[in-house]
Each structure stands twice: as C-alpha cells, then as structure tokens.
Amino acid sequence: MADQNKTPSHTWKEVFDVIGINLTLTREIRYPMVNATPFWDPNQPNQVAFSKDVHINLPGSKIKSFIRLYIPVDLPWKTKLPLIIYFHGGGFVSLSVANVEFHDHCNNLAARVRSVVASVEYRLAPEHPLPAAYEDALRAIHWIKSQALYSLHPDPWLHQFADFSRVFIMGESSGGNIAYHVALRASELDLEPMKIQGVLLDQPFFGGVERTSSELRLIEDPYLPLFMSDAYWSLALPFQANRDHEFCNPFIYGFDKVRRLPRWFVKDDEGDPLIDRSKEFVRMLELNKVPVVYRFNPGGFHGVELENNTAALAFFHDVKNFIYNTRAAED
C-alpha cells in the first residue's frame, strides 16, 4: 500500500523554478513589482486607492522593514476607517507587498471594504526561517501601536484616517498563517489604545504530517500541488522541524489562546488543497466557543481572489460585513 504521507516524485529544481530561486540559491524577480501610488496616476483612469511606503524601523532594531499603506480615493468626510493589518502569501519564501497581484488586491480591499490597509513586508525563508516573519509582523503591530500613542513621527494618513480602536489582522495563504500566529502573540500584549477587533484568514496555510483528504484529492493541483506545500514547509520551518511543528500545525498544541481574540473570519474554497484544514480550524474554534464566521465556497482554487474578479468582489463583500459587524456568511 502506498504511503499517503509521501508525494509523487518531484525535484528541487522544479520547486526553485516555481519560487524564483535559481540553483545557485540567488533570488530572481519572476513576478511584476509596482511602486506605490501616493497621488493621482494619469495612467490609471480607474484608480480606487492611494498608497505609499512607510519605513517602520523601531529604535534599537537592526532590522529594516516597511509597510505599504492604502487609503480609498473617496475618503468619507470626517469619518475614520477601520485599519486592516494585512500579510501577503507566498509560502513564506517568495513575493512581496510590491508584487502587482497583492498591490492591486490591497487597493481594492481599501476601496471596497472602506478601510485603511497596512500591508506588511516581512523577511523570507530560507534565508530567514520562521519565526522571522512572525517577528516582523509583531514589529509592525508595535509600530502601529506607537502611532496610536501619537509617536514623535506620526504618519499623517494613519492619524487622519485610521480608527485605532477598530483594528483587524488579516492574511492570505501563508499570510493567513502569519495572521494567526501574530494575533495570538499580540493577544498577550498591552496594545492600548489600539484594539484588535478580529482576525481574518483567507485560505490559511496550515499543514501537518498526516495528509488530509483534500490534499490527496488535489495532490497535483496546478495552483498549490502537495510537493510545493511540502517544499515551502521544508524551507520555512526551523532546522530539522517536521510539519507537526507548532508553526505549521495549530491543532497539535491546543487552542487555549484563541479565546483571547474577539472574533474570527475564515474563508476557503473546495478547489483549494487546504480546505480540509480550514474546516478543521473552524470546528476547533466552535468547540472552544470562539465566535467565528466562515465561508466555504464551491469550486475555486488557491489564490482565487487574486485572479478572479467575481470571487474577489464576493470576498470583499464578506470582509466588509464582518468588519462592520454584520452577518458575513451563512453558518
């Protein structure tokens, strides 16, 4: 009988070709990058948001990082907006806030949800294995707290347009994993006057040694085949850790900390190999009596909102309803 914990034979060259790392272990830019657009761009007649890059180097830190801030072009008069702290996907090993797919996604997230979006740049594995991305995410949260406290270097967009009492942590794929872990860490901190009101996970990248039915059903999925999931975890996890490490498998170590967060939103699609892990995550939240809203869509695929406008609009609708505290999905 075949070992279900093994994947079909694939090479590391295939993995690196997908990620954009050549065999000399240097990175190549495989995906289009775009600059922030802090002003009206005549080349974008349908521009829906402004954006700018802000360095968030905290005093005493040797790590240089930045966030890309987004605000809608048609800001409401004298009304502050919820703040979404966003983490992009890429298996912990590739992509950036400046990649065009995430840049466009955050533009539309700001415009459609009526929110300020802070998209966080974080260090990538394998040069910086986990928990480096979690540390960078938490650094961004500390910086936003300093802004809420009226720091010596206030950012005018945040102070004019962001409501620090309505902060949401959100991530897509590996960014969903980051959102989960950083939300748990943040729940142990005094972040006043900033208040985290909820966590939103879009196709969160969780794993485990034991395969799920959806992983086996979609083993050679064109968007996230199982051999690529395994490769991402091999490159991202601490040395010699397996997929039952707490960074990968949240079900191994209990759910006691999730009760500290007020509300959760989980979204996934039946065509995503990760769907069974998302369903188990929701089940565990419900067993722990944690308020959760979820949406499991028929069809779809991993990263569908980044490529399909209809799926993106439905997603933004659910996110807006959740953030503005109305029913976002039919449980």
Side-chain angles (χ1 to χ4, degrees), residues 265-319:
F265 173 81
V266 180
K267 177 265 171 190
D268 215 323
D269 300 81
E270 293 293 341
D272 176 21
L274 303 176
I275 181 72
D276 284 354
R277 298 195 185 276
S278 292
K279 289 180 176 178
E280 178 64 11
F281 186 85
V282 167
R283 189 181 75 86
M284 293 296 293
L285 288 174
E286 291 180 327
L287 286 175
N288 282 271
K289 302 187 185 309
V290 177
V292 58
V293 173
Y294 59 88
R295 174 80 74 188
F296 297 137
N297 297 315
F301 51 87
H302 193 74
V304 62
E305 292 89 14
L306 302 175
E307 298 188 22
N308 183 289
N309 187 57
T310 301
L313 290 176
F315 177 68
F316 295 141
H317 174 77
D318 285 347
V319 170

Side-chain angles (χ1 to χ4, degrees), residues 167-180:
V167 176
F168 295 83
I169 298 177
M170 177 178 177
E172 183 268 339
S173 189
S174 56
N177 177 295
I178 294 170
Y180 166 74

Side-chain angles (χ1 to χ4, degrees), residues 34-37 49-53 67-72 75 81-84 86 97-100 102-111 115-120 157-158 161:
V34 293
N35 293 324
T37 52
F50 298 122
S51 57
K52 67 174 181 177
D53 293 337
I67 62 175
R68 182 164 288 186
L69 281 179
Y70 298 81
I71 55 174
L75 286 158
L81 299 176
L83 171 62
I84 299 174
Y86 179 82
V97 302
N99 284 116
V100 64
F102 295 120
H103 178 74
D104 289 348
H105 189 63
C106 288
N107 272 327
N108 287 305
L109 183 64
S115 61
V116 178
V117 177
S119 183
V120 179
W157 283 14
L158 285 178
F161 305 121

Side-chain angles (χ1 to χ4, degrees), residues 1-2 10 33 37 41 43 98 115 150 174 195 221 224 231 246 261 264 270 273 277 280 285 296-297 326:
M1 182 176 177
H10 290 277
M33 308 275 277
T37 52
D41 184 349
N43 297 316
S115 61
Y150 295 94
S174 56
K195 290 185 172 65
D221 178 68
L224 186 64
E246 63 180 306
L261 280 301
W264 293 76
E270 293 293 341
R277 298 195 185 276
E280 178 64 11
L285 288 174
F296 297 137
N297 297 315
T326 60

